[in-house]
Amino acid sequence: MMKLRIDCVLAVLLLALALGVRSSDALTLPAGLNMSQITQMGEVLDKCNGDFGDIVSLYMVEATPLIATVKEKLNNTKSANKTEGAEGAAVATMVTEIMESDEFNALLESSTLQRISDELNLTCVMSDEVMVSTFTGVLEGLNVTKDSELGMMLHDMPSIVSGFYECGGRITPVLRFAQAAAPEVLSSEGGFDPMSILNLPSFTAFVGSGFDMGCFFGVPAVGGLVAKAMG
């Protein structure tokens, strides 16, 4: 049976969530990112059929309740669980609760998110030298190196995201799929069978949105991950 390490799944989810956490008073840029790069990113988004104003609105306004929820649950989980085993279970519960929260559901219903999902060309974005360099700089600022499997995967993320878009993947459908699949993934002790999620109605809906899984598995960076997951 094909197994995927649950700690890697959790780490990716938490990193994605943590990068969105900002202070309540002002925007705090991740390490390795400056305002000059923000300006350049805006130019790239415009070139790639995106709207930087939509991104800012989504982050600073519509996602604010979800960001607050993530920050609160992260703090509660860190303070309440000290042992490794207990912390792992608590993190799994936390991620599931976040993805099933009213705040996450509200974000999924955002017309701004839907517009970004429909219009932004992620392949164009992730193929741009400025964006790749900026993304790499943020990872380095967070001390994420290629010394681990997770670090290598994160450094390959531009290629993975680009391939995802080329294979018909879009933001809103994959978030809906992730929300539905989270309980199945995170409730399995020590790992889960990826094949089990293929039977979920949410996966059928995801594929129905235009996503071609065979194409995606053919992306070199993704193929390498699949080979490692299969052991």
Side-chain angles (χ1 to χ4, degrees):
M1 180 180 295
M2 183 165 58
K3 295 288 184 180
L4 185 66
R5 287 177 52 194
I6 191 68
D7 55 338
C8 287
V9 175
L10 289 173
V12 172
L13 286 171
L14 285 175
L15 180 60
L17 291 169
L19 287 176
V21 175
R22 55 181 168 82
S23 70
S24 59
D25 299 321
L27 175 65
T28 301
L29 298 178
L33 190 62
N34 57 52
M35 289 307 300
S36 175
Q37 290 169 312
I38 292 291
T39 300
Q40 291 179 310
M41 289 166 63
E43 294 172 353
V44 172
L45 290 172
D46 287 341
K47 180 184 71 175
C48 296
N49 205 35
D51 186 328
F52 194 50
D54 278 347
I55 303 291
V56 173
S57 174
L58 187 70
Y59 180 74
M60 296 298 293
V61 180
E62 296 177 60
T64 295
L66 177 60
I67 291 170
T69 296
V70 171
K71 187 174 183 179
E72 178 184 2
K73 289 186 178 294
L74 277 172
N75 289 336
N76 290 343
T77 299
K78 289 177 181 178
S79 61
N81 299 277
K82 302 301 182 182
T83 62
E84 183 176 350
E87 185 174 2
V91 166
T93 299
M94 180 197 71
V95 173
T96 301
E97 288 177 349
I98 289 171
M99 301 193 78
E100 294 179 342
S101 68
D102 291 341
E103 292 82 3
F104 193 88
N105 284 323
L107 186 65
L108 285 180
E109 297 303 321
S110 163
S111 60
T112 305
L113 177 64
Q114 187 62 55
R115 186 163 56 250
I116 294 169
S117 178
D118 291 341
E119 298 177 1
L120 182 61
N121 186 326
L122 293 177
T123 296
C124 172
V125 172
M126 290 300 175
S127 299
D128 186 271
E129 184 177 342
V130 169
M131 296 299 288
V132 173
S133 175
T134 299
F135 181 77
T136 301
V138 170
L139 290 181
E140 291 174 350
L142 294 169
N143 294 319
V144 177
T145 68
K146 297 182 180 180
D147 294 338
S148 66
E149 291 183 10
L150 177 59
M152 291 180 64
M153 181 179 69
L154 290 174
H155 277 273
D156 281 340
M157 198 56 66
S159 297
I160 293 172
V161 172
S162 177
F164 170 77
Y165 185 87
E166 282 290 296
C167 295
R170 297 297 182 267
I171 297 170
T172 299
V174 75
L175 288 178
R176 292 188 184 280
F177 168 62
Q179 181 188 46
E184 174 75 18
V185 173
L186 300 177
S187 63
S188 302
E189 295 183 4
F192 80 106
D193 177 9
M195 299 304 294
S196 67
I197 66 175
L198 302 185
N199 297 320
L200 296 176
S202 58
F203 180 77
T204 302
F206 181 36
V207 173
S209 72
F211 178 66
D212 185 337
M213 188 172 67
C215 167
F216 186 56
F217 281 2
V219 174
V222 177
L225 290 176
V226 173
K228 289 178 182 178
M230 295 180 65

